[in-house]
Amino acid sequence: MIYYIEIVFIVCLCCACTLFKKGIAWTKVFAILIFGATWLVLALRGSSVGADTQSYINYFWMIDEMSIPDLIGKINSPNRELMDVGFAIYVKVLSFLTNSPQIMLAISGGFYLYVVYIFAKYNKLVNPIYVLWYICLAPYLTAFNLVRQCVALGFCLLSWMKYNENKRKAYFLWIIAVLFHISAVVWAITFVAKKIKPSRKLFVAVFGLLVVLFFWGGKIIYYVLSFFPVYQYRYGQNGVYSDMTTQANGVVFLWIIIVLCAALVAFKTNWGQCLDSLKFEKIVYSLIAIAFFMLGNRIGGVQRIAVYFQPFWVPLLCDFGKMYEKKVELLYTIAVTVCAVAFFFLQIQSDQYSPYVFFWNNI
């Protein structure tokens, strides 16, 4: 656990330094320090840290031993013997360059964390205190488990940031994400959301739809899974992973805060004069994440959909704080930071993350 505490300490130290050292150069220094700390803890973890780490290590060895014709044959097999095509090809290419699965974990984690940094910068949230929120509230710890989905999430976030600049490139990045993890198809929601004019009535409608999803989403999801035999086998009503539901614990309190922030931002914003075209999207995606996390308490695997939209929690929380005067915003920032760190420490109590073991101790 000490290594997770060190990450929080380094970020807090960088936050304190920003009071004395300002400017673009120092911002880059703080970013490098924080990125280095978070990446090293993620990249050097042993096979016992993270629920699926050992599975990905075994997958690397399996792909490494396959010939190209065998790999193509299994990719095209009707029962999908391999994971998604993009990830299988990615691992095969890496196996030509290295015989260490740890390199795969390090590169995958590095790519994901770098995209999260770009995402924070895109939302003008490069202050270390906001980066701490990303570490504690956004799926940093999820990257210890869902390696290929976090790579897919990285491509999805890049797609979202590139959409207004180059739609074709955005669609291309999304397709890559789907090739890495089929669940990334849900990112198509973001393309629809960008074409909708925001309003308070629309917020109420979206909130209503998400309530319906929570109560009756199970039937819809099981129906959709019936068209995908492999995933029906895994996550269907009697699937292999149907009992892999999430446990809310103290997280419900966090969900309530985010829902309240979303509602207040939605109703206090004059959407007719709002110049931030992405503000409404942050609200919608944050609520989508909560809806699927709540649904994940009853249906195994559904929480994977929520992971795609969880990074939008931080920009939403920041938008809420900026609605008030400086003194109130400062108190709010302190309160959120304390809650975020508490949430982080609650998470690392899980045997998925603790005790932390370096990979060389598993050899």
Side-chain angles (χ1 to χ4, degrees):
M1 188 181 295
I2 185 66
Y3 302 106
Y4 303 115
I5 296 174
E6 285 178 357
I7 290 176
V8 175
F9 174 76
I10 289 172
V11 178
C12 290
L13 183 63
C14 289
C15 291
C17 290
T18 57
L19 298 175
F20 309 100
K21 301 292 184 180
K22 300 182 183 295
I24 297 176
W26 280 105
T27 299
K28 291 181 178 179
V29 170
F30 298 143
I32 292 171
L33 287 173
I34 296 170
F35 176 84
T38 52
W39 177 69
L40 285 174
V41 172
L42 182 60
L44 300 180
R45 72 188 188 277
S47 59
S48 61
V49 183
D52 295 336
T53 303
Q54 184 62 58
S55 298
Y56 282 105
I57 292 173
N58 295 339
Y59 185 81
F60 178 90
W61 291 125
M62 180 182 70
I63 294 291
D64 182 49
E65 294 173 359
M66 283 185 189
S67 65
I68 298 296
D70 287 343
L71 180 67
I72 295 173
K74 289 189 178 293
I75 286 175
N76 293 326
S77 64
N79 59 349
R80 289 177 60 100
E81 295 179 58
L82 295 178
M83 293 181 184
D84 299 273
V85 177
F87 188 73
I89 295 173
Y90 161 69
V91 173
K92 188 61 181 176
V93 171
L94 284 181
S95 70
F96 289 135
L97 304 175
T98 178
N99 61 357
S100 172
Q102 204 66 36
I103 300 297
M104 175 195 69
L105 296 176
I107 292 175
S108 302
F111 167 76
Y112 170 67
L113 291 178
Y114 179 67
V115 173
V116 170
Y117 171 74
I118 295 174
F119 180 75
K121 190 175 180 180
Y122 182 83
N123 287 286
K124 299 179 176 62
L125 302 174
V126 292
N127 188 300
I129 197 71
Y130 298 135
V131 175
L132 180 62
W133 291 9
Y134 274 105
I135 293 170
C136 296
L137 300 178
Y140 169 63
L141 290 177
T142 304
F144 286 75
N145 302 317
L146 309 179
V147 175
R148 64 192 174 100
Q149 186 176 356
C150 282
V151 174
L153 172 56
F155 282 111
C156 285
L157 293 176
L158 288 174
S159 171
W160 184 75
M161 290 182 282
K162 287 290 182 182
Y163 185 85
N164 290 334
E165 177 187 325
N166 188 325
K167 290 182 176 60
R168 288 185 179 180
K169 190 171 185 178
Y171 292 135
F172 177 71
L173 290 167
W174 171 58
I175 291 171
I176 294 176
V178 173
L179 291 175
F180 268 80
H181 205 288
I182 190 64
S183 62
V185 294
V186 301
W187 199 255
I189 294 172
T190 65
F191 302 133
V192 177
K194 287 184 177 294
K195 299 180 183 298
I196 299 175
K197 186 177 180 180
S199 67
R200 291 167 187 158
K201 290 182 179 179
L202 182 59
F203 169 80
V204 174
V206 170
F207 187 81
L209 284 173
L210 294 176
V211 171
V212 170
L213 175 66
F214 174 71
F215 286 105
W216 291 281
K219 294 181 179 180
I220 298 172
I221 289 170
Y222 289 140
Y223 175 73
V224 172
L225 287 176
S226 67
F227 294 97
F228 302 93
V230 173
Y231 292 97
Q232 186 179 34
Y233 169 76
R234 295 177 185 174
Y235 304 109
Q237 285 182 291
N238 298 309
V240 177
Y241 305 121
S242 59
D243 60 341
M244 290 181 63
T245 55
T246 54
Q247 298 298 319
N249 298 325
V251 182
V252 173
F253 179 68
L254 173 64
W255 293 344
I256 292 172
I257 291 175
I258 291 173
V259 170
L260 290 175
C261 287
L264 288 170
V265 172
F267 284 103
K268 284 183 171 290
T269 301
N270 185 340
W271 295 108
Q273 298 178 0
C274 181
L275 300 177
D276 186 356
S277 61
L278 304 177
K279 195 173 187 177
F280 193 77
E281 290 184 56
K282 300 170 192 174
I283 294 172
V284 172
Y285 304 152
S286 296
L287 293 179
I288 289 175
I290 291 173
F292 279 103
F293 270 130
M294 293 176 69
L295 200 56
N297 288 333
R298 296 183 284 118
I299 304 173
V302 173
Q303 62 273 20
R304 286 176 175 266
I305 298 175
V307 169
Y308 288 103
F309 302 99
Q310 194 179 4
F312 290 93
W313 287 357
V314 175
L316 171 64
L317 290 170
C318 292
D319 284 346
F320 178 76
K322 291 173 182 176
M323 294 171 58
Y324 300 93
E325 59 182 22
K326 289 294 182 181
K327 290 183 179 180
V328 176
E329 183 182 359
L330 176 61
L331 292 174
Y332 166 79
T333 301
I334 294 172
V336 172
T337 303
V338 171
C339 291
V341 172
F343 177 66
F344 182 72
F345 285 126
L346 177 66
Q347 287 182 298
I348 62 175
Q349 301 299 320
S350 168
D351 57 8
Q352 295 181 29
Y353 313 112
S354 298
Y356 183 88
V357 179
F358 289 108
F359 75 91
W360 52 79
N361 292 329
N362 289 139
I363 298 175

